[in-house]
Amino acid sequence: MVHWTAEEKQLITGLWGRVNVEECGAEALARLLIVYPWTQRFFASFGNLSSPTAIIGNPKVQAHGKKVLTSFGDAVKNLDNIKKCFAPLSKLHCEKLHVDPENFRLLGDILIIVLAAHFGKEFTPACQAAWQKVVHVVAHALAHEYH
Amino acid sequence: MVLSPADKSNVKAAFGKIGGQADEYGAEALERMFVTYPQTKTYFPHFDLSKGSAQVKAHGKKVAAALVEAANHVDDIAGALSKLSDLHAQKLRVDPVNFKLLGQCFLVVVACHNPALLTPEVHASLDKFLCAVGTVLTAKYR
């Protein structure tokens, strides 16, 4: 089980309460598809991903980004039980979606940068460290049921 | 991975905007890396790594200078960083995985201090650039 200090929990839940999940989710997913274009392989059905502008404005990207980050919120609400919480999603990503777990790490890194851009100096090194731990644990949980 | 003309232009412009703050960004990137990825501290047992450390500031300046040099010679990063590449291969031997960690922290610093600078396109170009720098610095490892 992952050990979180009281400070880490405070940094994580404190920030999360002020995240616009719809906006940040859309931005994170769009940036994933722009910065690491090979990740577009999972979204052939999303229509126009031909340019950064197209990706950012794509309603399917926006909707899916919101969905992904909302799900992420479940991790924040269940910090002491992330593996169990994400087991069904892990199975889904393995068995139905066939997503290489490396992609969870890429998205996690992107999310950190989106949070940094939104919160600026408030995203202190300690805050970054706590959040980098969250994304790492979530990525690990999402990969856990892979077989 | 190849830097397109647009990437090179984005990188040059970004570092132009960062300007004199590069030293500060370098130091803060290191600070964040040591806090976020404690295993990276193993390369600096001889450093005072406490907050505000003069050694970290000085080292951050060196790191920033190398990035600026690479950005100024973005058409030939390998040439520009050849001596640094030798140093990392022969003496420092920092495991290649760590360059990505520092790169991530550098992007976070830019995002924190200058979010307007980090549009998705510039984010992509800088990420590619930082990867390219890491590749050059580890190119002679074996």
Side-chain angles (χ1 to χ4, degrees), chain A residues 34-52:
Chain A
I34 292 165
V35 177
Y36 307 115
W38 55 93
T39 58
Q40 292 170 25
R41 71 190 298 282
F42 301 108
F43 302 101
S45 64
F46 273 30
N48 188 3
L49 299 178
S50 59
S51 70

Side-chain angles (χ1 to χ4, degrees), chain B residues 9-139:
Chain B
S9 165
N10 284 341
V11 168
K12 283 199 186 102
F15 276 87
K17 287 196 192 116
I18 291 168
Q21 293 178 294
D23 289 353
E24 227 179 87
Y25 282 25
E28 191 179 329
L30 285 175
E31 185 199 346
R32 284 179 181 272
M33 185 185 72
F34 294 139
V35 172
T36 307
Y37 308 107
Q39 68 272 22
T40 57
K41 294 190 291 186
T42 58
Y43 292 96
F44 299 90
H46 53 299
F47 264 32
D48 163 25
L49 296 178
S50 58
K51 190 160 167 60
S53 153
Q55 283 179 305
V56 173
K57 277 201 179 88
H59 199 67
K61 211 170 156 182
K62 273 192 201 164
V63 169
L67 289 178
V68 168
E69 182 74 0
N72 288 338
H73 296 89
V74 75
D75 286 315
D76 183 19
I77 298 175
L81 300 187
S82 178
K83 289 214 173 69
L84 258 184
S85 180
D86 291 337
L87 181 72
H88 281 78
Q90 291 154 20
K91 183 150 175 260
L92 304 177
R93 293 171 292 186
V94 173
D95 191 284
V97 69
N98 294 286
F99 295 95
K100 184 166 192 340
L101 304 182
L102 182 57
Q104 167 74 355
C105 290
F106 187 81
L107 287 174
V108 169
V109 171
V110 175
C112 281
H113 288 265
N114 208 333
L117 171 56
L118 207 66
T119 63
E121 292 90 332
V122 171
H123 178 173
S125 298
L126 278 180
D127 193 273
K128 279 172 85 173
F129 168 73
L130 293 166
C131 275
V133 168
T135 299
V136 163
L137 292 178
T138 57

Side-chain angles (χ1 to χ4, degrees), chain A residues 15 55 63 81 90-91 97 123 135:
Chain A
L15 203 86
I55 291 170
N81 218 346
S90 178
K91 288 198 181 87
L97 305 176
F123 200 66
V135 303

